[in-house]
Coordinates of all heavy atoms in Angstrom, one line a residue:
R1231 N 119.0 30.7 -56.0 CA 118.8 30.9 -54.6 C 120.2 30.5 -53.9 O 120.8 31.2 -53.0 CB 117.8 30.1 -54.0 CG 117.6 30.1 -52.6 CD 116.7 31.2 -52.1 NE 116.5 31.1 -50.7 CZ 116.8 32.0 -49.8 NH1 117.1 33.2 -50.3 NH2 116.6 31.9 -48.6
L1232 N 120.8 29.4 -54.3 CA 122.1 28.9 -53.7 C 123.2 29.9 -54.1 O 124.1 30.1 -53.2 CB 122.4 27.5 -54.2 CG 121.8 26.3 -53.4 CD1 122.1 25.1 -54.0 CD2 122.2 26.4 -51.9
K1233 N 123.2 30.4 -55.3 CA 124.3 31.3 -55.7 C 124.3 32.5 -54.7 O 125.4 32.9 -54.3 CB 124.1 31.8 -57.1 CG 124.5 30.8 -58.2 CD 124.4 31.4 -59.6 CE 124.7 30.4 -60.6 NZ 124.6 30.9 -62.0
V1234 N 123.1 33.1 -54.5 CA 123.0 34.2 -53.6 C 123.5 33.9 -52.2 O 124.2 34.6 -51.6 CB 121.6 34.8 -53.6 CG1 121.3 35.8 -52.5 CG2 121.1 35.2 -54.9
L1235 N 123.0 32.7 -51.6 CA 123.4 32.3 -50.3 C 124.9 32.1 -50.2 O 125.5 32.6 -49.3 CB 122.7 31.1 -49.9 CG 121.1 31.2 -49.6 CD1 120.5 29.9 -49.5 CD2 121.0 32.0 -48.3
Y1236 N 125.4 31.4 -51.2 CA 126.9 31.1 -51.1 C 127.7 32.4 -51.3 O 128.7 32.6 -50.6 CB 127.3 30.1 -52.2 CG 126.8 28.7 -51.9 CD1 126.6 27.8 -52.9 CD2 126.5 28.3 -50.6 CE1 126.3 26.5 -52.6 CE2 126.1 27.0 -50.4 CZ 126.0 26.1 -51.4 OH 125.6 24.8 -51.1
T1237 N 127.2 33.4 -52.1 CA 127.9 34.6 -52.2 C 127.9 35.4 -50.9 O 128.9 36.0 -50.4 CB 127.3 35.5 -53.3 OG1 127.3 34.7 -54.5 CG2 128.0 36.8 -53.5
K1238 N 126.7 35.3 -50.2 CA 126.7 36.0 -48.9 C 127.5 35.3 -47.9 O 128.2 36.0 -47.1 CB 125.1 36.1 -48.5 CG 124.3 37.0 -49.2 CD 122.9 36.9 -48.7 CE 122.0 37.9 -49.4 NZ 120.6 38.0 -48.9
I1239 N 127.6 34.0 -47.8 CA 128.4 33.3 -46.9 C 129.9 33.7 -47.1 O 130.6 34.0 -46.2 CB 128.2 31.8 -47.0 CG1 126.9 31.4 -46.5 CG2 129.3 31.1 -46.2 CD1 126.4 30.0 -46.8
L1240 N 130.3 33.7 -48.4 CA 131.7 34.0 -48.7 C 132.0 35.4 -48.3 O 133.1 35.7 -47.9 CB 132.0 33.8 -50.2 CG 132.0 32.3 -50.6 CD1 132.0 32.2 -52.2 CD2 133.1 31.5 -50.0
G1241 N 131.1 36.3 -48.5 CA 131.2 37.7 -48.1 C 131.4 37.8 -46.6 O 132.2 38.6 -46.1
S1242 N 130.6 37.1 -45.9 CA 130.6 37.1 -44.4 C 132.0 36.6 -43.9 O 132.5 37.1 -43.0 CB 129.5 36.3 -43.8 OG 129.5 36.2 -42.4
L1243 N 132.5 35.6 -44.6 CA 133.8 35.0 -44.2 C 134.9 35.9 -44.4 O 136.0 35.9 -43.7 CB 134.0 33.7 -44.9 CG 133.0 32.6 -44.7 CD1 133.3 31.4 -45.6 CD2 133.1 32.1 -43.2
Q1244 N 134.8 36.9 -45.3 CA 135.9 37.8 -45.6 C 136.1 38.8 -44.4 O 137.2 39.3 -44.4 CB 135.5 38.6 -46.9 CG 135.4 37.9 -48.1 CD 136.7 37.1 -48.5 OE1 137.8 37.8 -48.5 NE2 136.6 35.8 -48.8
T1245 N 135.2 38.9 -43.5 CA 135.3 39.7 -42.3 C 136.2 39.1 -41.3 O 136.6 39.7 -40.3 CB 134.0 40.1 -41.8 OG1 133.4 39.0 -41.2 CG2 133.1 40.8 -42.8
M1246 N 136.5 37.8 -41.4 CA 137.3 37.1 -40.4 C 138.8 37.0 -40.8 O 139.1 37.1 -42.0 CB 136.8 35.6 -40.3 CG 135.3 35.6 -39.9 SD 134.7 33.9 -40.0 CE 132.9 34.1 -39.8
P1247 N 139.7 36.8 -39.8 CA 141.1 36.6 -40.2 C 141.3 35.4 -41.1 O 140.6 34.4 -41.0 CB 141.7 36.4 -38.9 CG 140.8 36.9 -37.8 CD 139.4 36.8 -38.5
Q1248 N 142.2 35.5 -42.0 CA 142.5 34.5 -43.0 C 142.9 33.2 -42.3 O 142.7 32.1 -42.9 CB 143.5 34.9 -44.0 CG 142.9 35.9 -45.0 CD 144.0 36.1 -46.1 OE1 145.1 36.1 -45.9 NE2 143.5 36.5 -47.3
D1249 N 143.5 33.3 -41.2 CA 144.0 32.1 -40.5 C 143.0 31.5 -39.5 O 143.3 30.4 -38.9 CB 145.4 32.3 -39.8 CG 145.2 33.3 -38.7 OD1 144.3 34.2 -38.7 OD2 146.1 33.3 -37.8
A1250 N 141.8 32.1 -39.4 CA 140.8 31.5 -38.5 C 140.3 30.1 -39.1 O 140.0 30.0 -40.3 CB 139.6 32.4 -38.4
A1251 N 140.3 29.1 -38.3 CA 139.9 27.8 -38.7 C 138.6 27.7 -39.3 O 138.4 27.1 -40.4 CB 140.0 26.8 -37.5
Y1252 N 137.6 28.4 -38.7 CA 136.2 28.3 -39.3 C 136.2 28.9 -40.7 O 135.6 28.4 -41.6 CB 135.2 29.2 -38.4 CG 133.8 29.2 -39.0 CD1 133.0 28.1 -38.9 CD2 133.4 30.3 -39.6 CE1 131.7 28.2 -39.4 CE2 132.1 30.4 -40.1 CZ 131.3 29.4 -40.1 OH 130.0 29.4 -40.6
R1253 N 136.9 30.0 -40.9 CA 136.9 30.7 -42.2 C 137.6 29.8 -43.2 O 137.0 29.5 -44.3 CB 137.7 32.0 -42.2 CG 137.9 32.6 -43.6 CD 138.5 33.9 -43.6 NE 138.8 34.3 -45.0 CZ 139.2 35.5 -45.3 NH1 139.5 36.4 -44.5 NH2 139.4 35.8 -46.7
K1254 N 138.8 29.2 -42.9 CA 139.5 28.4 -43.9 C 138.6 27.2 -44.4 O 138.5 27.0 -45.6 CB 140.8 27.8 -43.2 CG 141.9 28.8 -43.1 CD 143.2 28.2 -42.8 CE 143.2 27.5 -41.4 NZ 144.5 27.0 -41.0
Y1255 N 138.0 26.4 -43.4 CA 137.3 25.2 -43.8 C 136.0 25.5 -44.4 O 135.6 24.9 -45.4 CB 137.3 24.3 -42.7 CG 138.6 23.9 -42.1 CD1 139.1 24.3 -40.9 CD2 139.5 23.2 -43.0 CE1 140.4 24.0 -40.5 CE2 140.8 22.8 -42.6 CZ 141.2 23.2 -41.4 OH 142.5 22.9 -40.9
T1256 N 135.4 26.5 -43.9 CA 134.0 26.9 -44.5 C 134.2 27.5 -45.9 O 133.4 27.2 -46.8 CB 133.3 27.8 -43.6 OG1 133.2 27.2 -42.3 CG2 131.8 28.1 -44.1
E1257 N 135.1 28.3 -46.0 CA 135.4 29.0 -47.4 C 135.7 27.9 -48.4 O 135.2 27.9 -49.5 CB 136.5 29.9 -47.2 CG 136.7 30.9 -48.2 CD 137.7 32.0 -47.8 OE1 138.9 31.7 -47.3 OE2 137.4 33.2 -48.1
Q1258 N 136.5 26.9 -48.0 CA 136.9 25.8 -48.9 C 135.6 25.0 -49.4 O 135.4 24.8 -50.5 CB 137.9 24.9 -48.3 CG 138.3 23.7 -49.1 CD 139.2 22.8 -48.3 OE1 139.6 23.0 -47.1 NE2 139.6 21.7 -48.9
L1259 N 134.8 24.7 -48.4 CA 133.5 24.0 -48.8 C 132.5 24.7 -49.5 O 132.1 24.2 -50.6 CB 132.9 23.5 -47.4 CG 131.6 22.7 -47.6 CD1 131.8 21.3 -48.2 CD2 130.9 22.6 -46.3
I1260 N 132.3 26.0 -49.2 CA 131.3 26.8 -49.9 C 131.8 27.1 -51.3 O 131.1 27.2 -52.2 CB 131.0 28.1 -49.1 CG1 130.4 27.7 -47.7 CG2 130.2 29.1 -49.8 CD1 129.2 26.9 -47.8
A1261 N 133.1 27.4 -51.4 CA 133.7 27.7 -52.8 C 133.5 26.6 -53.7 O 133.1 26.7 -54.9 CB 135.1 28.1 -52.7
E1262 N 133.7 25.4 -53.1 CA 133.6 24.0 -54.0 C 132.1 23.9 -54.4 O 131.8 23.7 -55.5 CB 134.0 22.9 -53.1 CG 134.0 21.6 -53.8 CD 134.3 20.4 -53.0 OE1 135.4 20.6 -52.3 OE2 133.6 19.4 -52.9
R1263 N 131.2 24.1 -53.4 CA 129.8 24.0 -53.8 C 129.3 25.1 -54.7 O 128.5 24.9 -55.6 CB 128.9 24.0 -52.5 CG 129.1 22.8 -51.7 CD 128.2 22.8 -50.4 NE 128.3 21.6 -49.6 CZ 127.5 21.3 -48.7 NH1 126.6 22.2 -48.3 NH2 127.7 20.2 -48.0
Y1264 N 129.8 26.3 -54.5 CA 129.4 27.4 -55.3 C 129.9 27.1 -56.8 O 129.2 27.4 -57.7 CB 130.1 28.7 -54.9 CG 129.7 30.0 -55.6 CD1 128.5 30.4 -55.7 CD2 130.7 30.7 -56.3 CE1 128.1 31.5 -56.4 CE2 130.4 31.8 -57.1 CZ 129.0 32.2 -57.1 OH 128.7 33.4 -57.8
N1265 N 131.1 26.6 -57.0 CA 131.5 26.2 -58.3 C 130.6 25.1 -59.0 O 130.3 25.2 -60.2 CB 133.0 25.7 -58.3 CG 133.9 26.8 -58.1 OD1 133.7 27.9 -58.5 ND2 135.1 26.5 -57.5
H1266 N 130.1 24.2 -58.2 CA 129.2 23.2 -58.7 C 127.9 23.9 -59.2 O 127.4 23.6 -60.3 CB 128.9 22.1 -57.6 CG 130.0 21.2 -57.4 ND1 130.7 20.6 -58.3 CD2 130.5 20.7 -56.2 CE1 131.6 19.8 -57.8 NE2 131.5 19.9 -56.4
V1267 N 127.4 24.8 -58.4 CA 126.1 25.5 -58.7 C 126.3 26.3 -60.0 O 125.4 26.3 -60.8 CB 125.7 26.4 -57.5 CG1 124.6 27.3 -57.9 CG2 125.4 25.6 -56.3
K1268 N 127.5 26.9 -60.1 CA 127.7 27.7 -61.4 C 127.8 26.9 -62.6 O 127.3 27.3 -63.7 CB 129.0 28.6 -61.2 CG 128.9 29.7 -60.2 CD 130.0 30.7 -60.4 CE 131.3 30.1 -60.2 NZ 132.5 31.0 -60.1
T1269 N 128.3 25.7 -62.5 CA 128.7 24.9 -63.7 C 127.6 23.8 -64.0 O 127.6 23.3 -65.1 CB 130.0 24.2 -63.5 OG1 130.0 23.5 -62.4 CG2 131.1 25.3 -63.4
E1270 N 126.7 23.5 -63.1 CA 125.8 22.4 -63.3 C 124.3 23.0 -63.2 O 123.8 23.2 -62.2 CB 126.0 21.3 -62.2 CG 125.1 20.1 -62.4 CD 125.3 19.5 -63.8 OE1 126.3 19.0 -64.1 OE2 124.3 19.6 -64.6
P1271 N 123.7 23.1 -64.4 CA 122.3 23.5 -64.5 C 121.2 22.5 -64.1 O 120.1 22.8 -63.7 CB 122.1 24.0 -65.9 CG 123.1 23.2 -66.7 CD 124.2 22.9 -65.8
D1272 N 121.6 21.2 -64.2 CA 120.7 20.1 -63.9 C 120.6 19.9 -62.4 O 121.7 19.6 -61.8 CB 121.1 18.9 -64.6 CG 120.1 17.8 -64.5 OD1 120.0 17.2 -63.4 OD2 119.4 17.4 -65.4
V1273 N 119.4 20.0 -61.8 CA 119.3 19.9 -60.3 C 119.7 18.5 -59.8 O 120.3 18.4 -58.8 CB 117.9 20.3 -60.0 CG1 117.6 20.1 -58.5 CG2 117.5 21.8 -60.3
E1274 N 119.3 17.5 -60.5 CA 119.6 16.2 -60.1 C 121.1 15.9 -60.0 O 121.6 15.2 -59.1 CB 118.8 15.1 -60.9 CG 117.3 15.1 -60.6 CD 116.6 14.0 -61.4 OE1 117.2 13.0 -61.9 OE2 115.4 14.1 -61.6
K1275 N 121.7 16.3 -61.1 CA 123.2 16.2 -61.2 C 123.9 17.0 -60.1 O 124.9 16.6 -59.5 CB 123.7 16.5 -62.5 CG 123.4 15.5 -63.7 CD 123.9 16.0 -64.9 CE 123.5 15.0 -66.1 NZ 123.9 15.4 -67.4
L1276 N 123.3 18.2 -59.9 CA 123.9 19.0 -58.8 C 123.8 18.4 -57.5 O 124.7 18.4 -56.6 CB 123.1 20.4 -58.8 CG 123.6 21.5 -57.9 CD1 125.1 21.8 -58.1 CD2 122.8 22.7 -58.0
E1277 N 122.6 17.9 -57.2 CA 122.4 17.1 -55.9 C 123.4 16.0 -55.7 O 124.0 15.8 -54.6 CB 121.0 16.5 -55.8 CG 119.9 17.5 -55.7 CD 118.5 17.0 -55.8 OE1 118.3 15.7 -56.1 OE2 117.5 17.6 -55.5
K1278 N 123.7 15.3 -56.8 CA 124.7 14.2 -56.7 C 126.1 14.8 -56.5 O 126.9 14.2 -55.7 CB 124.7 13.3 -58.0 CG 123.4 12.4 -58.0 CD 123.4 11.6 -59.3 CE 122.1 10.8 -59.3 NZ 121.9 10.1 -60.5
K1279 N 126.4 15.9 -57.2 CA 127.8 16.4 -57.0 C 128.0 17.0 -55.6 O 129.0 16.8 -55.0 CB 128.0 17.6 -58.0 CG 128.3 17.1 -59.4 CD 128.6 18.2 -60.3 CE 129.0 17.8 -61.7 NZ 129.3 18.9 -62.6
I1280 N 127.0 17.6 -55.1 CA 127.1 18.2 -53.7 C 127.0 17.1 -52.6 O 127.7 17.2 -51.6 CB 126.1 19.3 -53.5 CG1 126.4 20.6 -54.4 CG2 126.0 19.8 -52.0 CD1 125.4 21.7 -54.3
N1281 N 126.2 16.1 -52.9 CA 126.0 14.9 -52.1 C 125.7 15.2 -50.6 O 126.3 14.7 -49.7 CB 127.4 14.1 -52.2 CG 127.2 12.7 -51.6 OD1 126.1 12.2 -51.6 ND2 128.2 12.2 -51.1
C1282 N 124.7 16.0 -50.5 CA 124.2 16.4 -49.1 C 122.7 16.4 -49.1 O 122.1 17.3 -48.4 CB 124.7 17.8 -48.7 SG 126.4 17.6 -48.1
G1283 N 122.0 15.6 -49.9 CA 120.6 15.5 -49.9 C 120.0 16.2 -51.1 O 120.7 16.6 -52.0
Q1284 N 118.7 16.4 -51.0 CA 118.0 17.1 -52.0 C 118.3 18.6 -52.0 O 118.7 19.1 -50.9 CB 116.4 16.9 -51.8 CG 116.0 15.5 -52.0 CD 114.5 15.3 -51.8 OE1 113.8 16.1 -51.1 NE2 114.0 14.3 -52.4
I1285 N 118.0 19.3 -53.1 CA 118.5 20.6 -53.2 C 117.8 21.6 -52.2 O 118.4 22.5 -51.7 CB 118.3 21.2 -54.6 CG1 119.3 22.3 -55.0 CG2 116.9 21.6 -54.9 CD1 120.7 21.9 -55.1
E1286 N 116.6 21.2 -51.8 CA 115.9 22.0 -50.7 C 116.7 21.8 -49.4 O 116.7 22.8 -48.6 CB 114.4 21.4 -50.5 CG 113.6 21.7 -51.8 CD 113.6 20.7 -52.8 OE1 114.4 19.7 -52.7 OE2 112.9 20.8 -53.8
E1287 N 117.2 20.7 -49.1 CA 118.0 20.5 -47.9 C 119.3 21.3 -48.0 O 119.7 21.8 -47.0 CB 118.3 19.0 -47.7 CG 117.0 18.1 -47.4 CD 117.3 16.7 -47.4 OE1 117.8 16.1 -48.5 OE2 117.1 16.0 -46.4
V1288 N 119.9 21.3 -49.1 CA 121.1 22.1 -49.4 C 120.9 23.5 -49.1 O 121.7 24.2 -48.5 CB 121.7 21.8 -50.7 CG1 122.9 22.6 -51.0 CG2 122.1 20.3 -50.9
I1289 N 119.7 24.0 -49.6 CA 119.4 25.4 -49.4 C 119.2 25.7 -47.9 O 119.7 26.7 -47.4 CB 118.1 25.8 -50.2 CG1 118.4 25.8 -51.7 CG2 117.5 27.1 -49.8 CD1 117.2 25.9 -52.6
A1290 N 118.6 24.8 -47.2 CA 118.3 25.0 -45.8 C 119.7 25.0 -45.0 O 119.9 25.8 -44.1 CB 117.4 23.9 -45.2
Q1291 N 120.6 24.1 -45.4 CA 121.9 24.0 -44.8 C 122.7 25.4 -45.1 O 123.3 25.9 -44.2 CB 122.7 22.9 -45.4 CG 122.3 21.6 -45.0 CD 122.9 20.4 -45.9 OE1 123.8 20.7 -46.7 NE2 122.4 19.2 -45.6
A1292 N 122.6 25.9 -46.3 CA 123.2 27.1 -46.7 C 122.6 28.3 -45.9 O 123.4 29.2 -45.4 CB 123.1 27.4 -48.1
E1293 N 121.4 28.3 -45.6 CA 120.7 29.4 -44.8 C 121.3 29.3 -43.4 O 121.6 30.4 -42.8 CB 119.2 29.3 -44.9 CG 118.6 29.7 -46.2 CD 117.2 29.4 -46.3 OE1 116.6 28.5 -45.5 OE2 116.5 29.9 -47.2
S1294 N 121.3 28.1 -42.9 CA 121.9 27.9 -41.5 C 123.4 28.3 -41.4 O 123.8 28.9 -40.4 CB 121.7 26.5 -41.1 OG 120.4 26.1 -41.0
E1295 N 124.1 28.0 -42.4 CA 125.6 28.4 -42.5 C 125.7 29.9 -42.5 O 126.6 30.4 -41.9 CB 126.3 27.7 -43.6 CG 127.8 27.7 -43.5 CD 128.3 26.9 -42.3 OE1 127.9 25.7 -42.3 OE2 129.1 27.5 -41.5
L1296 N 124.9 30.5 -43.3 CA 125.0 32.0 -43.4 C 124.7 32.6 -42.0 O 125.4 33.5 -41.5 CB 123.9 32.5 -44.4 CG 123.9 34.1 -44.6 CD1 125.2 34.7 -44.9 CD2 122.8 34.5 -45.5
T1297 N 123.7 32.1 -41.3 CA 123.3 32.6 -39.9 C 124.6 32.4 -39.0 O 125.0 33.2 -38.3 CB 122.1 31.9 -39.4 OG1 121.0 32.2 -40.3 CG2 121.8 32.4 -38.0
L1298 N 125.1 31.2 -39.1 CA 126.3 30.8 -38.2 C 127.5 31.7 -38.6 O 128.2 32.2 -37.7 CB 126.6 29.3 -38.4 CG 127.8 28.9 -37.6 CD1 127.6 29.1 -36.0 CD2 128.1 27.4 -37.8
S1299 N 127.8 31.9 -39.8 CA 128.9 32.7 -40.2 C 128.8 34.1 -39.7 O 129.8 34.8 -39.2 CB 129.1 32.7 -41.7 OG 128.1 33.5 -42.4
R1300 N 127.6 34.7 -39.7 CA 127.4 36.0 -39.2 C 127.6 36.0 -37.6 O 128.1 37.0 -37.1 CB 126.0 36.5 -39.5 CG 125.9 36.9 -41.0 CD 124.5 37.3 -41.4 NE 124.6 37.7 -42.9 CZ 123.4 37.8 -43.6 NH1 122.2 37.5 -43.0 NH2 123.5 38.2 -44.8
K1301 N 127.1 35.0 -36.9 CA 127.3 34.9 -35.5 C 128.8 34.7 -35.2 O 129.2 35.3 -34.2 CB 126.5 33.7 -35.0 CG 125.0 34.0 -34.9 CD 124.2 32.9 -34.3 CE 122.7 33.2 -34.3 NZ 122.0 32.0 -33.8
M1302 N 129.4 33.9 -36.0 CA 130.9 33.7 -35.7 C 131.7 35.0 -35.9 O 132.6 35.3 -35.1 CB 131.4 32.6 -36.6 CG 131.0 31.3 -36.4 SD 131.5 30.5 -34.8 CE 133.0 29.8 -35.4
A1303 N 131.3 35.8 -36.8 CA 132.0 37.1 -37.0 C 131.7 38.0 -35.8 O 132.6 38.8 -35.4 CB 131.5 37.8 -38.3
E1304 N 130.5 37.9 -35.2 CA 130.2 38.7 -34.0 C 130.9 38.1 -32.8 O 131.4 38.9 -32.0 CB 128.6 38.6 -33.8 CG 128.1 39.3 -32.6 CD 126.6 39.1 -32.4 OE1 125.9 38.9 -33.4 OE2 126.2 39.1 -31.3
W1305 N 130.9 36.8 -32.6 CA 131.6 36.2 -31.5 C 133.1 36.3 -31.5 O 133.7 36.2 -30.4 CB 131.2 34.7 -31.3 CG 129.7 34.5 -31.1 CD1 128.8 35.3 -30.5 CD2 128.9 33.4 -31.5 NE1 127.5 34.8 -30.5 CE2 127.6 33.6 -31.1 CE3 129.2 32.2 -32.1 CZ2 126.6 32.7 -31.3 CZ3 128.2 31.3 -32.3 CH2 126.9 31.5 -32.0
K1306 N 133.7 36.3 -32.6 CA 135.2 36.3 -32.8 C 135.9 35.2 -32.0 O 136.7 35.5 -31.1 CB 135.7 37.7 -32.4 CG 135.1 38.8 -33.2 CD 135.6 40.1 -32.8 CE 134.9 41.1 -33.7 NZ 135.0 42.5 -33.3
P1307 N 135.6 34.0 -32.2 CA 136.2 32.9 -31.4 C 137.8 32.8 -31.6 O 138.4 32.1 -30.9 CB 135.6 31.6 -32.0 CG 135.1 31.9 -33.3 CD 134.7 33.4 -33.3
W1308 N 138.3 33.5 -32.6 CA 139.8 33.4 -32.9 C 140.5 34.3 -32.0 O 141.8 34.3 -31.9 CB 140.0 33.8 -34.4 CG 139.4 35.1 -34.7 CD1 139.9 36.4 -34.5 CD2 138.1 35.3 -35.3 NE1 139.0 37.3 -35.0 CE2 137.9 36.7 -35.5 CE3 137.2 34.4 -35.8 CZ2 136.8 37.2 -36.0 CZ3 136.0 34.9 -36.3 CH2 135.8 36.3 -36.4
E1309 N 139.8 35.2 -31.2 CA 140.5 36.1 -30.3 C 140.8 35.4 -29.0 O 140.2 34.5 -28.6 CB 139.6 37.4 -30.1 CG 139.5 38.3 -31.3 CD 138.7 39.6 -31.0 OE1 138.1 39.7 -29.9 OE2 138.7 40.4 -31.8
P1310 N 141.9 35.9 -28.3 CA 142.3 35.3 -27.0 C 141.1 35.5 -26.0 O 140.3 36.4 -26.1 CB 143.5 36.0 -26.6 CG 143.6 37.2 -27.4 CD 142.7 37.0 -28.6
L1311 N 141.1 34.6 -25.0 CA 140.1 34.7 -23.9 C 140.3 36.0 -23.2 O 141.4 36.5 -23.0 CB 140.3 33.5 -23.0 CG 140.0 32.1 -23.5 CD1 140.3 31.1 -22.5 CD2 138.6 32.0 -23.9
I1312 N 139.1 36.5 -22.7 CA 139.2 37.7 -21.9 C 139.9 37.5 -20.6 O 140.7 38.3 -20.1 CB 137.7 38.2 -21.7 CG1 137.1 38.7 -23.0 CG2 137.7 39.4 -20.7 CD1 135.6 39.0 -22.9
E1313 N 139.6 36.3 -19.9 CA 140.3 35.9 -18.7 C 140.7 34.5 -18.8 O 140.2 33.7 -19.6 CB 139.4 36.2 -17.5 CG 138.1 35.5 -17.6 CD 137.2 35.8 -16.4 OE1 137.0 37.0 -16.2 OE2 136.7 34.9 -15.8
E1314 N 141.6 34.1 -18.0 CA 142.1 32.7 -18.0 C 141.0 31.7 -17.6 O 140.2 32.0 -16.8 CB 143.3 32.6 -17.0 CG 144.1 31.4 -17.2 CD 144.9 31.4 -18.6 OE1 145.3 32.5 -19.0 OE2 145.1 30.4 -19.1
A1315 N 141.0 30.6 -18.4 CA 140.0 29.6 -18.1 C 140.3 28.8 -16.7 O 141.5 28.7 -16.4 CB 139.9 28.6 -19.3
P1316 N 139.3 28.4 -16.1 CA 139.5 27.6 -14.8 C 140.4 26.4 -15.1 O 140.2 25.8 -16.2 CB 138.1 27.2 -14.3 CG 137.1 28.1 -15.1 CD 137.9 28.5 -16.3
A1317 N 141.2 26.0 -14.2 CA 142.2 24.9 -14.3 C 141.4 23.6 -14.6 O 141.9 22.7 -15.3 CB 143.0 24.8 -13.1
S1318 N 140.2 23.4 -14.1 CA 139.5 22.2 -14.2 C 138.6 22.2 -15.4 O 137.8 21.2 -15.5 CB 138.7 21.9 -12.9 OG 137.8 22.9 -12.7
Q1319 N 138.5 23.2 -16.2 CA 137.6 23.3 -17.3 C 137.6 22.1 -18.2 O 136.6 21.6 -18.7 CB 137.8 24.5 -18.1 CG 136.8 24.7 -19.2 CD 136.9 26.1 -19.9 OE1 137.4 27.0 -19.4 NE2 136.4 26.1 -21.0
W1320 N 138.7 21.6 -18.5 CA 138.8 20.5 -19.5 C 139.0 19.1 -18.9 O 139.3 18.2 -19.6 CB 140.0 20.8 -20.5 CG 139.8 22.1 -21.1 CD1 140.6 23.2 -20.9 CD2 138.8 22.6 -22.0 NE1 140.1 24.3 -21.7 CE2 139.0 23.9 -22.4 CE3 137.8 21.9 -22.7 CZ2 138.2 24.7 -23.2 CZ3 136.9 22.6 -23.5 CH2 137.2 24.0 -23.8
K1321 N 138.9 19.0 -17.6 CA 139.0 17.7 -16.9 C 137.6 17.0 -16.9 O 136.6 17.7 -16.5 CB 139.6 17.9 -15.5 CG 141.0 18.3 -15.5 CD 141.6 18.3 -14.1 CE 143.0 18.7 -14.1 NZ 143.6 18.9 -12.8
W1322 N 137.6 15.8 -17.3 CA 136.4 15.1 -17.2 C 136.6 13.6 -16.9 O 137.6 13.0 -17.6 CB 135.5 15.2 -18.5 CG 134.2 14.7 -18.4 CD1 133.1 15.3 -17.9 CD2 133.7 13.4 -18.7 NE1 132.0 14.6 -18.0 CE2 132.3 13.4 -18.5 CE3 134.3 12.3 -19.3 CZ2 131.6 12.2 -18.7 CZ3 133.5 11.1 -19.4 CH2 132.2 11.1 -19.2
P1323 N 136.0 12.9 -16.1 CA 134.9 13.4 -15.3 C 135.5 14.1 -14.1 O 136.6 14.0 -13.8 CB 134.2 12.0 -14.7 CG 135.3 11.0 -14.9 CD 136.2 11.5 -16.0
I1324 N 134.7 14.9 -13.5 CA 135.1 15.8 -12.4 C 135.2 15.1 -11.1 O 134.4 14.3 -10.8 CB 134.2 17.0 -12.3 CG1 134.3 17.9 -13.6 CG2 134.5 17.9 -11.1 CD1 133.4 19.1 -13.7

């Protein structure tokens, strides 16, 4: 199940520019986890290598990441703003 999810995530990331921050960091993390999944047949050892909870939680995280990667491809946050942001947008407190 994780192999399929990680393959789909990596495929989704391919639609983004190579210099997009989300793609760079997510691709690095998913590729590392995918290699662990390919090389470690023992679930308990795999959980320790990935170090993000039980394998069921890792699957849930991967499903969420796949959803997010598809949304990011749709939103295209790497593109410039359509219009200039208001001058006070980043000032806090107002």
Side-chain angles (χ1 to χ4, degrees):
R1231 176 95 175 121
L1232 274 174
K1233 282 183 184 180
V1234 172
L1235 286 169
Y1236 288 157
T1237 302
K1238 286 181 179 182
I1239 293 168
L1240 291 170
S1242 176
L1243 295 173
Q1244 296 301 310
T1245 64
M1246 300 173 193
Q1248 285 186 334
D1249 62 339
Y1252 176 77
R1253 176 182 173 168
K1254 284 194 296 189
Y1255 299 114
T1256 305
E1257 199 169 43
Q1258 178 183 356
L1259 177 71
I1260 298 300
E1262 181 182 313
R1263 289 184 178 187
Y1264 183 65
N1265 285 333
H1266 288 315
V1267 171
K1268 287 193 308 187
T1269 59
E1270 185 54 69
D1272 186 286
V1273 174
E1274 287 183 21
K1275 288 180 182 177
L1276 181 60
E1277 288 173 349
K1278 287 180 183 172
K1279 283 184 177 182
I1280 293 178
N1281 195 26
C1282 282
Q1284 295 180 332
I1285 207 69
E1286 292 85 358
E1287 294 171 301
V1288 176
I1289 291 170
Q1291 291 168 7
E1293 289 170 343
S1294 296
E1295 195 65 55
L1296 177 58
T1297 301
L1298 178 61
S1299 69
R1300 289 174 175 165
K1301 287 181 181 178
M1302 292 291 271
E1304 179 185 331
W1305 295 332
K1306 299 177 182 169
W1308 52 84
E1309 291 184 353
L1311 296 174
I1312 294 173
E1313 57 187 50
E1314 200 62 37
S1318 64
Q1319 179 170 343
W1320 305 111
K1321 291 184 180 177
W1322 190 87
I1324 294 177

